[in-house]
Amino acid sequence: MKAIDGSQANGFEASQTIPFPTKLAGDRSARKSEARSQEETQLANQREIMAWAKLLYVSLWVEQERIELLKEKKKILLNHIRLVRSSVRSDSFAAIHLLKVESALDLLDNELDETIQKQRERQLEAASFLNIESTRIQILVEAPSFSEIPRVDQNSSHQIRSLEWNLESARSRELEAKSSWFPDFNLRYKEMGATSMSQKYNEVMIGVTLPFIFPWGPYSESGKAGAERIQKEYELEKERRKISSEKESLLSRARSIRQQLKRLTEKLIPRAEKRVKIVRNLAPRDMETLKDHHETMEAFPDLKIKALDLRMQYEEAIANLEKYTLEKDSSHE
């Protein structure tokens, strides 16, 4: 402070606003709930990343196996073409059958090229996921173990818990807003040195706000906080119904595909393999036996490709289910 006569004095002033206790409690509770919500969101992201990584590995194996099965099917068609050409040369129906098989072979080449391209795309995705150079990547994977159907909590998941904590935060903010009707306190301490015209002095002040004198401010804040709480309740209920429905659908789908796979691997594929062994020992004599030979030999790799497709669909359903599992849900059906 500088006086008229030119003398100076130094001092300091400190002030602190103390909100009403319920405001402090509401703010503290809201911040804790927001932190818990972020933790649950992080856990949900981790579950999704792990599920996607597992599915990516399975897809690499599926495309790798599909290429081998298509090559096997191509050999079968080439052998059948040679058989048709050598067995029936003057039969017009045999010529038609030959053209049909040759067209199927050309379509198979297209399918093989498409599968090789898909395999390359999956390898590039894996390279990006692993953060390695993609130009030289060549990933060969081993057969993954068959995933079991996880036990999921129908009423909860990390995604739901995150929204539940968001709702708790909104309720705390609403409590804080309703407390805006109550006064805040302001403490101030001032100390100033002496000058030629004044003595050294100390000053203590206690201030109180009176928000209820102008009620539209607190009323507006309270209404806004209440509307946000209602919105959070709506979002939680909507997401809970959506996830519950999706879980039920995925569980039903996974169980259905598992039964189909069981039929394929335990009944249909073994029977097809037996038919192949029988047909290999028989020499086609006419068009009917040629067609039987073609259908029997081609059905075996087709069934194995069908099993691959079902396996991929099954693993996709499991991966989507695992996104909604909790950390404690480590047991399986």
Side-chain angles (χ1 to χ4, degrees), residues 266-314:
E266 295 182 3
K267 296 180 179 179
L268 294 173
I269 292 179
R271 288 173 186 165
E273 188 175 10
K274 289 179 181 179
R275 291 198 303 269
V276 166
K277 291 179 180 178
I278 295 172
V279 166
R280 280 176 179 167
N281 297 324
L282 299 176
R285 299 178 181 178
D286 49 28
M287 275 304 305
E288 185 176 352
T289 54
L290 273 174
K291 289 180 180 179
D292 289 341
H293 179 274
H294 173 243
E295 292 173 359
T296 301
M297 296 298 293
E298 196 175 25
F300 186 44
D302 282 345
L303 285 173
K304 290 193 286 186
I305 290 173
K306 176 63 176 177
L308 269 182
D309 292 336
L310 286 174
R311 174 68 183 276
M312 189 64 200
Q313 294 173 25
Y314 176 80

Side-chain angles (χ1 to χ4, degrees), residues 130-161:
L130 298 171
N131 194 26
I132 59 178
E133 182 62 38
S134 60
T135 56
R136 299 180 179 178
I137 188 170
Q138 184 65 34
I139 301 176
L140 296 176
V141 296
E142 297 180 357
S145 58
F146 193 85
S147 299
E148 296 295 331
I149 299 177
R151 289 179 180 172
V152 293
D153 187 344
Q154 289 290 348
N155 300 316
S156 187
S157 65
H158 291 299
Q159 292 84 351
I160 293 298
R161 287 183 175 182

Side-chain angles (χ1 to χ4, degrees), residues 180-330:
S180 60
W181 295 92
F182 300 123
D184 295 332
F185 302 95
N186 186 274
L187 304 179
R188 189 178 72 168
Y189 174 78
K190 182 178 181 180
E191 181 178 307
M192 185 59 64
T195 66
S196 59
M197 297 181 66
S198 64
Q199 297 179 348
K200 176 180 179 181
Y201 70 93
N202 299 331
E203 182 181 289
V204 177
M205 181 180 291
I206 300 177
V208 179
T209 62
L210 302 176
F212 48 84
I213 294 179
F214 304 101
W216 49 84
Y219 182 80
S220 175
E221 291 182 15
S222 178
K224 180 181 178 182
E228 290 179 353
R229 186 258 305 162
I230 292 174
Q231 178 65 23
K232 297 296 183 183
E233 288 178 345
Y234 169 75
E235 290 175 358
L236 173 60
E237 186 61 26
K238 180 181 178 182
E239 191 68 13
R240 183 180 281 132
R241 289 172 183 252
K242 173 188 171 185
I243 291 179
S244 176
S245 175
E246 188 172 353
K247 284 179 180 179
E248 191 64 33
S249 175
L250 289 169
L251 281 170
S252 176
R253 179 175 175 79
R255 290 175 181 138
S256 173
I257 294 175
R258 187 169 63 178
Q259 289 297 322
Q260 295 177 54
L261 273 171
K262 186 176 180 182
R263 270 189 224 101
L264 271 171
T265 56
E266 295 182 3
K267 296 180 179 179
L268 294 173
I269 292 179
R271 288 173 186 165
E273 188 175 10
K274 289 179 181 179
R275 291 198 303 269
V276 166
K277 291 179 180 178
I278 295 172
V279 166
R280 280 176 179 167
N281 297 324
L282 299 176
R285 299 178 181 178
D286 49 28
M287 275 304 305
E288 185 176 352
T289 54
L290 273 174
K291 289 180 180 179
D292 289 341
H293 179 274
H294 173 243
E295 292 173 359
T296 301
M297 296 298 293
E298 196 175 25
F300 186 44
D302 282 345
L303 285 173
K304 290 193 286 186
I305 290 173
K306 176 63 176 177
L308 269 182
D309 292 336
L310 286 174
R311 174 68 183 276
M312 189 64 200
Q313 294 173 25
Y314 176 80
E315 295 294 344
E316 286 176 352
I318 295 299
N320 286 320
L321 272 174
E322 288 178 344
K323 293 191 302 185
Y324 301 125
T325 58
L326 299 170
E327 290 296 326
K328 63 182 180 64
D329 295 333
S330 57

